[in-house]
Amino acid sequence: MADVRQIVIDIISDIAPDEDVSSIDDAKSLREQLDLDSMDFLDIVMELRKRHKVEVPQEDYPKLASLQSCVAYLGPKFAAAPV
Amino acid sequence: MTYDAIVIGAGMSGLAAGIRLAMFDKRVLIIEKHSIPGGLNSYYQRRNFDRGGIRQFDVGLHALTNFIKKGEKGKPFSKLLKQLRLSYDDFKLCPQSYSAIRFPGTELRFSNDFELLRSEISAKFPQDIDGFNLLVEKVRAFNELDLSLGYTSSREVLRGILKDELLAEMLLCPLLIYGSAWEDDMDFAQFVIMFKSLYFEGFSRPEGGVRTILGLLMTKLQELGAEVRFKTTVSEILVKNGEAVGVVAGGEEIRAPVVFSSIGFPETAVLAPSLDARPRVGAMTFLESIFVFDRKIPLSSNEATIVFSNNSQTYAYRPAQNYFDAVSAVVCFPDNYEPHVRDGEGTVRVTYMANYQQWKELERSRYLEMKEKVGESALALVKSLVPGLAEKPLFTDVFSPLTIERYTGHFNGTVYGSTDKTRDGRTPVKNLFVIGTDQGFLGIVGAMLSGISMANLHGLMGEAKQGQ
C-alpha cells in the first residue's frame, strides 16, 4: 500500500520548496501551518494526477485540508489506482 | 497539427501561461509575431558607432514592481515563483534606492520600506495622516483578486478619505502612469493592486534587465517541452458553433480545444469575426526617451531611482493635447538600483504621455522633427533633476506611440490595453480566453500572474473537472 502521507509531503516540498515539512501536525490544516494558497492546492491535485494517476474532482479539494484528511481521502483512491 | 492549447503572444502572460500548461503535460504552442519574446516588455539593441559593439535596451521596463526579500511569503511575487517553479535568486533582483513623487513645492519619497512613505505623509500632510492610515487599512483588507468586482472610481474613494486633494493627486500619479488604461482615474480594484505592488512592496530591477526574466521563462518552457514559434502571425481565431477550435497562423490551420490570447481584447476580437464584442481601445500611450551618457549620471546630486515629476498641483493623466505632455514625466535612473555600480556608461529614461492620433497624422519628416523635440525636452528635464550634468548624451533614442503599435500590435500604441477588462478572462467565444493586461492584472508580475491564473482556471481546473 502506498505511503499516502509521504506522497503528499513529497509533492508539497516540490511545489513549495521553502516550506519546512518536517514538523507538520497531521491533524491540523495544512494552510494553517504552511504558506499554501488555492493555487498550491491546485498543484497538489495536478501532481497527484500527473505522478500517480489519482483524480481529485474540484468539489473534493476541501478533503485535502490536513495530512490526516489527505490520507483518509486519498488512501482508497491509491488502493484502487493501477500502480 | 493539433495541440492541447494555443497561446497567442510570447509576452510575460503568454510565456507564464505556457509554462503552467506544459508543466502538467499539455502540448502547448505559443505563437509570436516577432523574432524575440517579451511583447510590451521586450528589448532591442543599437550599434555603438563611437566605441564599437552594441548597446542593449529594455523597451518598457523601468521597474519590476512587487519587490519581496528572499523568503517573504504570501505575496504576488512569491506566488509567481512557486507557480512557475523558479527560484528567487535566479531573478537577481536589484532593489531601488528610493523613488520620489515631485509636485511643485512638495515631494513624497517612497522605497521598499513602506514606513518611508508613511513618515513622509506624516511630515508633509499631517492633517491627513489618519486618513492615509485608514486608506492603508482599506487597501490591505480589499480582495483585489475577486474576479467578479464591478468598476469603482478611485478618485471618489480617495475624496471620501483624504482631506488634501494634493495628497490624493500625488498618490495617484505613479499608480496611474504605471498601469491605468483609464484616463484620469482607475478602477479601485486596480488602484489596490497598484498600491500594494508599488507602495507596500516596491521596485527592483533584475540584473541584466528584462532579458533576465525572459531568459528564465524561455528556458523553463524549453525544459517542459513547450513549442514557441516566432515570426508567425495569427490571422484568424477559428470558431465553430461559438467555440474556439484553433487558429490560422502563418497560413496554416492549427487546432486546439482552448486558445489563450495575450494580444489585447480588442485585438483578439478582430481575429475572431464571430466574437460578439467590440471592446474599447484604451487612449493611454507614451513616448520614451533613452539617453546614454559617458558616466553614471546620478552621483550625489540625485540618488532617486525613479522620479514621478508633475509640474502642476493636479495630475492630468490623459492623452497629451499637443503631441506630448511635458508637464508630467517619469524619469528612471536604472543605475540607481543597488548595487550602485559607478563605472561605465550611464542611462536615463524619460516617459511622457502622448497623443496617438496626432503622431499618426505626422508625415515622416515632421515625425522625426517632433521626436527630436521630445528628446530635447526630456533632456532638459533630466538636466533640471541632475544639477551639474552639462555634457551631451553619447546616444539618444526616442520611441513613439507608432513604434509601440508597430512592435506590440496594440491598437493605437496603447500600453495598458483596453478599458474593458475581462477580469475572469472569458470572452463571448467559448474556450477563447484573454490573458495579460486586458484580463486585468498589471505590470510584469501582474501579467505573469494573469497568465498563470487564467491557465489554472481555464486550462487545468476545467480539465480536472472533465477527468471525473
Side-chain angles (χ1 to χ4, degrees), chain A residues 35 37 40 43 47 50, chain B residues 20 23 79 82 85 461:
Chain A
D35 175 41
D37 59 20
D40 299 317
D43 276 34
E47 289 296 343
K50 182 173 161 181
Chain B
R20 284 298 296 170
M23 194 177 279
K79 287 177 199 278
K82 278 198 288 183
R85 303 203 190 158
M461 282 172 76

Side-chain angles (χ1 to χ4, degrees), chain B residues 404-419:
Chain B
I404 299 170
E405 185 179 50
R406 179 158 10 110
Y407 286 100
T408 68
H410 265 229
F411 294 159
N412 298 6
T414 170
V415 170
Y416 302 127
S418 172
T419 46

Side-chain angles (χ1 to χ4, degrees), chain A residues 14-16 18-19 35-37 39-40 42-43 45-47 49-51 55-59 61, chain B residues 20 23-26 71 73-74 79 82-83 85 449 452-453 456 460-461 463-465 467-468:
Chain A
D14 287 343
I15 63 176
D18 291 340
E19 297 296 324
D35 175 41
L36 296 179
D37 59 20
M39 284 176 162
D40 299 317
L42 173 66
D43 276 34
V45 170
M46 295 306 295
E47 289 296 343
R49 174 180 216 241
K50 182 173 161 181
R51 298 181 192 184
E55 301 281 351
V56 180
Q58 214 176 323
E59 59 271 23
Y61 286 12
Chain B
R20 284 298 296 170
M23 194 177 279
F24 298 107
D25 301 333
K26 306 268 174 230
K73 292 173 183 175
K79 287 177 199 278
K82 278 198 288 183
Q83 286 281 298
R85 303 203 190 158
L449 281 173
I452 290 168
S453 51
N456 286 351
L460 300 176
M461 282 172 76
E463 172 76 12
K465 238 184 200 168
Q468 285 170 48

Side-chain angles (χ1 to χ4, degrees), chain B residues 2-3 8 35 91 97 137 140 178 211 283 296 298 310 346 412 451:
Chain B
T2 305
Y3 292 85
I8 310 175
S35 51
F91 279 83
S97 51
E137 287 321 306
R140 234 184 260 285
Y178 268 10
R211 281 176 195 75
K296 297 277 187 251
N310 189 61
N412 298 6

Side-chain angles (χ1 to χ4, degrees), chain B residues 27 59 72 80 93 112 120 134 137 145 160 185 221 246 277-279 344 356 385 396 400 402 443 458-459 467:
Chain B
R27 284 165 304 156
V59 173
E72 259 186 87
L80 173 91
L93 297 184
N112 295 355
E120 288 272 287
L134 256 168
E137 287 321 306
L145 300 180
D185 203 349
L221 278 168
R278 284 295 168 262
Y356 170 80
L385 292 174
T396 301
S400 78
L402 303 188
H458 304 300

